[in-house]
Amino acid sequence: MRQEAAAAQIVAAGRRLDALGWVPATAGNFSVRLDARRLAVTVSGRHKGFLTPDDVMVVDLDGVAENPAQRSSAETLLHCGIYRRFPEAGAVLHGHSIANTVLSRLAGNSLTLAGYELLKVFPGLPTHDAEVAVPVVPNDQDIARMQRGLDALWDGMAADMGAIPPGYLIRGHGSYVWAPDMPTALARMEGLEFMLRCELEEQRWALKERNLR
């Protein structure tokens, strides 16, 4: 994909996720694969609802910027880790919703979503009669170490089940999803966040009922 087209997709994604309240302040980052060795990614410190094409830069799969004058988020290395691991990945989105932040703090090593119609946003699930265990990984300021932990997690999941869900939660931090292209990544993010919001509401009502007894 050409850099200009990738930048346009990233700018549009920023406006969409900002409108949904999932990238407050300067939170979040987005990327699109350009070719086998490069990706376009948001620069550091920009509000995602007000991105312009100038707020998108190019790095290689090791996170090294083509233009040394530009700086991407340290979390760009997590995008690179996804593209290195999953050759089918064409776009990656990272957001910070209230639901994914709260639920990831309460969950164990994974958060199971079951029986939702929107499970169909995940590959290989043509019906709601299924479940997905979304991994929850510890937050870590050492991004390279976090990526090594993710690689080990994915190795284990592939060995045990063969299928790796195209997304995960960072505890108390946010969510990552990826897909072959940006429209699918956006649909996947919206589906995941809808189900997380449902889980949060269900827990809230359960707590209210317990308090009323």
PDB file of all heavy atoms in Angstrom, residues 1 9 16 26 35 39 46 59 71 85 95 103 113 116 124 135 149 163 165 172:
ATOM      1  N   MET A   1       0.842  -1.194   0.000  1.00  0.00           N
ATOM      2  CA  MET A   1       0.000   0.000   0.000  1.00  0.00           C
ATOM      3  C   MET A   1       0.878   1.245   0.000  1.00  0.00           C
ATOM      4  O   MET A   1       1.923   1.271   0.637  1.00  0.00           O
ATOM      5  CB  MET A   1      -0.924  -0.005   1.223  1.00  0.00           C
ATOM      6  CG  MET A   1      -1.811   1.222   1.321  1.00  0.00           C
ATOM      7  SD  MET A   1      -2.904   1.222   2.757  1.00  0.00           S
ATOM      8  CE  MET A   1      -4.042  -0.074   2.285  1.00  0.00           C
ATOM      9  N   GLN A   9      -6.160   6.295   5.763  1.00  0.00           N
ATOM     10  CA  GLN A   9      -6.902   5.317   6.552  1.00  0.00           C
ATOM     11  C   GLN A   9      -6.672   5.525   8.049  1.00  0.00           C
ATOM     12  O   GLN A   9      -7.598   5.402   8.854  1.00  0.00           O
ATOM     13  CB  GLN A   9      -6.486   3.905   6.150  1.00  0.00           C
ATOM     14  CG  GLN A   9      -6.953   3.483   4.772  1.00  0.00           C
ATOM     15  CD  GLN A   9      -6.687   2.020   4.498  1.00  0.00           C
ATOM     16  OE1 GLN A   9      -6.166   1.295   5.338  1.00  0.00           O
ATOM     17  NE2 GLN A   9      -7.062   1.564   3.312  1.00  0.00           N
ATOM     18  N   ARG A  16     -12.775   8.145  13.916  1.00  0.00           N
ATOM     19  CA  ARG A  16     -13.820   7.201  14.292  1.00  0.00           C
ATOM     20  C   ARG A  16     -13.677   6.772  15.749  1.00  0.00           C
ATOM     21  O   ARG A  16     -14.639   6.820  16.526  1.00  0.00           O
ATOM     22  CB  ARG A  16     -13.746   5.970  13.374  1.00  0.00           C
ATOM     23  CG  ARG A  16     -14.680   4.831  13.752  1.00  0.00           C
ATOM     24  CD  ARG A  16     -16.122   5.250  13.647  1.00  0.00           C
ATOM     25  NE  ARG A  16     -17.017   4.139  13.948  1.00  0.00           N
ATOM     26  CZ  ARG A  16     -18.299   4.287  14.264  1.00  0.00           C
ATOM     27  NH1 ARG A  16     -18.831   5.496  14.328  1.00  0.00           N
ATOM     28  NH2 ARG A  16     -19.054   3.247  14.518  1.00  0.00           N
ATOM     29  N   THR A  26      -4.011  11.825  24.362  1.00  0.00           N
ATOM     30  CA  THR A  26      -3.148  11.387  23.258  1.00  0.00           C
ATOM     31  C   THR A  26      -3.002   9.866  23.237  1.00  0.00           C
ATOM     32  O   THR A  26      -2.075   9.325  22.634  1.00  0.00           O
ATOM     33  CB  THR A  26      -1.750  12.019  23.367  1.00  0.00           C
ATOM     34  OG1 THR A  26      -1.151  11.636  24.621  1.00  0.00           O
ATOM     35  CG2 THR A  26      -1.849  13.542  23.305  1.00  0.00           C
ATOM     36  N   ASP A  35       4.389  -2.803   3.225  1.00  0.00           N
ATOM     37  CA  ASP A  35       4.938  -3.911   2.455  1.00  0.00           C
ATOM     38  C   ASP A  35       5.514  -4.919   3.442  1.00  0.00           C
ATOM     39  O   ASP A  35       5.249  -4.832   4.650  1.00  0.00           O
ATOM     40  CB  ASP A  35       5.986  -3.429   1.438  1.00  0.00           C
ATOM     41  CG  ASP A  35       7.094  -2.596   2.061  1.00  0.00           C
ATOM     42  OD1 ASP A  35       7.584  -2.967   3.146  1.00  0.00           O
ATOM     43  OD2 ASP A  35       7.486  -1.576   1.472  1.00  0.00           O
ATOM     44  N   LEU A  39       5.895  -0.347   7.820  1.00  0.00           N
ATOM     45  CA  LEU A  39       4.536   0.006   8.200  1.00  0.00           C
ATOM     46  C   LEU A  39       4.428   1.507   8.426  1.00  0.00           C
ATOM     47  O   LEU A  39       5.412   2.175   8.763  1.00  0.00           O
ATOM     48  CB  LEU A  39       4.111  -0.734   9.469  1.00  0.00           C
ATOM     49  CG  LEU A  39       4.968  -0.550  10.715  1.00  0.00           C
ATOM     50  CD1 LEU A  39       4.096  -0.298  11.928  1.00  0.00           C
ATOM     51  CD2 LEU A  39       5.813  -1.810  10.963  1.00  0.00           C
ATOM     52  N   ARG A  46       0.240  12.694  19.674  1.00  0.00           N
ATOM     53  CA  ARG A  46      -0.821  13.403  18.960  1.00  0.00           C
ATOM     54  C   ARG A  46      -2.187  12.889  19.413  1.00  0.00           C
ATOM     55  O   ARG A  46      -2.375  11.698  19.637  1.00  0.00           O
ATOM     56  CB  ARG A  46      -0.706  13.211  17.456  1.00  0.00           C
ATOM     57  CG  ARG A  46       0.565  13.738  16.837  1.00  0.00           C
ATOM     58  CD  ARG A  46       0.636  15.262  16.841  1.00  0.00           C
ATOM     59  NE  ARG A  46       1.660  15.730  15.938  1.00  0.00           N
ATOM     60  CZ  ARG A  46       2.946  15.836  16.235  1.00  0.00           C
ATOM     61  NH1 ARG A  46       3.372  15.480  17.448  1.00  0.00           N
ATOM     62  NH2 ARG A  46       3.817  16.271  15.355  1.00  0.00           N
ATOM     63  N   VAL A  59       8.086   3.229   9.686  1.00  0.00           N
ATOM     64  CA  VAL A  59       9.142   2.497  10.395  1.00  0.00           C
ATOM     65  C   VAL A  59       9.290   1.121   9.765  1.00  0.00           C
ATOM     66  O   VAL A  59       8.389   0.643   9.061  1.00  0.00           O
ATOM     67  CB  VAL A  59       8.846   2.359  11.903  1.00  0.00           C
ATOM     68  CG1 VAL A  59       8.663   3.721  12.547  1.00  0.00           C
ATOM     69  CG2 VAL A  59       7.615   1.487  12.145  1.00  0.00           C
ATOM     70  N   ARG A  71       9.297  10.734  15.641  1.00  0.00           N
ATOM     71  CA  ARG A  71       9.335   9.787  16.758  1.00  0.00           C
ATOM     72  C   ARG A  71       7.978   9.112  16.907  1.00  0.00           C
ATOM     73  O   ARG A  71       6.953   9.785  17.015  1.00  0.00           O
ATOM     74  CB  ARG A  71       9.712  10.499  18.060  1.00  0.00           C
ATOM     75  CG  ARG A  71       9.867   9.552  19.257  1.00  0.00           C
ATOM     76  CD  ARG A  71      10.435  10.299  20.457  1.00  0.00           C
ATOM     77  NE  ARG A  71       9.514  11.291  20.987  1.00  0.00           N
ATOM     78  CZ  ARG A  71       8.611  11.027  21.938  1.00  0.00           C
ATOM     79  NH1 ARG A  71       8.520   9.808  22.434  1.00  0.00           N
ATOM     80  NH2 ARG A  71       7.818  11.982  22.378  1.00  0.00           N
ATOM     81  N   ARG A  85       4.812 -11.552  13.412  1.00  0.00           N
ATOM     82  CA  ARG A  85       4.251 -12.853  13.766  1.00  0.00           C
ATOM     83  C   ARG A  85       3.159 -13.302  12.805  1.00  0.00           C
ATOM     84  O   ARG A  85       3.044 -14.487  12.475  1.00  0.00           O
ATOM     85  CB  ARG A  85       3.679 -12.778  15.179  1.00  0.00           C
ATOM     86  CG  ARG A  85       3.004 -14.046  15.665  1.00  0.00           C
ATOM     87  CD  ARG A  85       4.012 -15.089  16.045  1.00  0.00           C
ATOM     88  NE  ARG A  85       3.410 -16.342  16.437  1.00  0.00           N
ATOM     89  CZ  ARG A  85       3.908 -17.146  17.364  1.00  0.00           C
ATOM     90  NH1 ARG A  85       5.004 -16.807  18.002  1.00  0.00           N
ATOM     91  NH2 ARG A  85       3.318 -18.286  17.660  1.00  0.00           N
ATOM     92  N   GLY A  95      -6.474   0.895  21.460  1.00  0.00           N
ATOM     93  CA  GLY A  95      -7.343   1.882  22.083  1.00  0.00           C
ATOM     94  C   GLY A  95      -7.428   1.708  23.583  1.00  0.00           C
ATOM     95  O   GLY A  95      -6.993   0.701  24.146  1.00  0.00           O
ATOM     96  N   LEU A 103     -12.105  -3.983  32.879  1.00  0.00           N
ATOM     97  CA  LEU A 103     -12.210  -5.442  32.862  1.00  0.00           C
ATOM     98  C   LEU A 103     -10.843  -6.113  32.856  1.00  0.00           C
ATOM     99  O   LEU A 103     -10.672  -7.178  33.454  1.00  0.00           O
ATOM    100  CB  LEU A 103     -13.017  -5.884  31.643  1.00  0.00           C
ATOM    101  CG  LEU A 103     -14.514  -5.575  31.714  1.00  0.00           C
ATOM    102  CD1 LEU A 103     -15.177  -5.904  30.389  1.00  0.00           C
ATOM    103  CD2 LEU A 103     -15.186  -6.335  32.850  1.00  0.00           C
ATOM    104  N   LEU A 113     -15.280 -14.431  26.277  1.00  0.00           N
ATOM    105  CA  LEU A 113     -16.507 -13.862  25.714  1.00  0.00           C
ATOM    106  C   LEU A 113     -17.271 -15.005  25.060  1.00  0.00           C
ATOM    107  O   LEU A 113     -16.732 -15.694  24.184  1.00  0.00           O
ATOM    108  CB  LEU A 113     -16.168 -12.792  24.682  1.00  0.00           C
ATOM    109  CG  LEU A 113     -15.326 -11.618  25.189  1.00  0.00           C
ATOM    110  CD1 LEU A 113     -14.887 -10.731  24.032  1.00  0.00           C
ATOM    111  CD2 LEU A 113     -16.088 -10.815  26.229  1.00  0.00           C
ATOM    112  N   TYR A 116     -22.120 -14.230  22.299  1.00  0.00           N
ATOM    113  CA  TYR A 116     -22.442 -12.931  21.689  1.00  0.00           C
ATOM    114  C   TYR A 116     -22.545 -13.053  20.168  1.00  0.00           C
ATOM    115  O   TYR A 116     -21.716 -13.707  19.533  1.00  0.00           O
ATOM    116  CB  TYR A 116     -21.362 -11.900  22.011  1.00  0.00           C
ATOM    117  CG  TYR A 116     -21.330 -11.446  23.445  1.00  0.00           C
ATOM    118  CD1 TYR A 116     -20.329 -11.888  24.301  1.00  0.00           C
ATOM    119  CD2 TYR A 116     -22.282 -10.552  23.930  1.00  0.00           C
ATOM    120  CE1 TYR A 116     -20.281 -11.459  25.618  1.00  0.00           C
ATOM    121  CE2 TYR A 116     -22.241 -10.121  25.246  1.00  0.00           C
ATOM    122  CZ  TYR A 116     -21.244 -10.583  26.086  1.00  0.00           C
ATOM    123  OH  TYR A 116     -21.202 -10.163  27.391  1.00  0.00           O
ATOM    124  N   GLY A 124     -13.215 -17.416  11.790  1.00  0.00           N
ATOM    125  CA  GLY A 124     -13.550 -18.807  12.055  1.00  0.00           C
ATOM    126  C   GLY A 124     -14.734 -19.017  12.966  1.00  0.00           C
ATOM    127  O   GLY A 124     -14.966 -20.145  13.411  1.00  0.00           O
ATOM    128  N   PRO A 135      -6.664 -12.967  25.466  1.00  0.00           N
ATOM    129  CA  PRO A 135      -5.564 -12.918  26.433  1.00  0.00           C
ATOM    130  C   PRO A 135      -5.483 -11.568  27.142  1.00  0.00           C
ATOM    131  O   PRO A 135      -5.770 -10.523  26.562  1.00  0.00           O
ATOM    132  CB  PRO A 135      -4.320 -13.146  25.569  1.00  0.00           C
ATOM    133  CG  PRO A 135      -4.820 -13.820  24.339  1.00  0.00           C
ATOM    134  CD  PRO A 135      -6.192 -13.266  24.110  1.00  0.00           C
ATOM    135  N   GLY A 149       7.152 -11.588  25.988  1.00  0.00           N
ATOM    136  CA  GLY A 149       6.097 -12.315  26.690  1.00  0.00           C
ATOM    137  C   GLY A 149       4.952 -12.678  25.765  1.00  0.00           C
ATOM    138  O   GLY A 149       4.394 -13.785  25.847  1.00  0.00           O
ATOM    139  N   ALA A 163      -5.165 -21.955  17.185  1.00  0.00           N
ATOM    140  CA  ALA A 163      -5.788 -20.688  16.796  1.00  0.00           C
ATOM    141  C   ALA A 163      -5.444 -19.608  17.814  1.00  0.00           C
ATOM    142  O   ALA A 163      -5.558 -19.822  19.017  1.00  0.00           O
ATOM    143  CB  ALA A 163      -7.302 -20.845  16.695  1.00  0.00           C
ATOM    144  N   PRO A 165      -6.431 -15.739  18.879  1.00  0.00           N
ATOM    145  CA  PRO A 165      -7.368 -14.640  18.600  1.00  0.00           C
ATOM    146  C   PRO A 165      -6.615 -13.385  18.188  1.00  0.00           C
ATOM    147  O   PRO A 165      -5.555 -13.083  18.748  1.00  0.00           O
ATOM    148  CB  PRO A 165      -8.093 -14.449  19.940  1.00  0.00           C
ATOM    149  CG  PRO A 165      -7.193 -15.046  20.959  1.00  0.00           C
ATOM    150  CD  PRO A 165      -6.457 -16.159  20.290  1.00  0.00           C
ATOM    151  N   GLY A 172      -5.131  -3.042  32.721  1.00  0.00           N
ATOM    152  CA  GLY A 172      -5.249  -1.666  33.157  1.00  0.00           C
ATOM    153  C   GLY A 172      -4.802  -0.645  32.135  1.00  0.00           C
ATOM    154  O   GLY A 172      -4.612   0.531  32.460  1.00  0.00           O
TER     155      GLY A 172
END
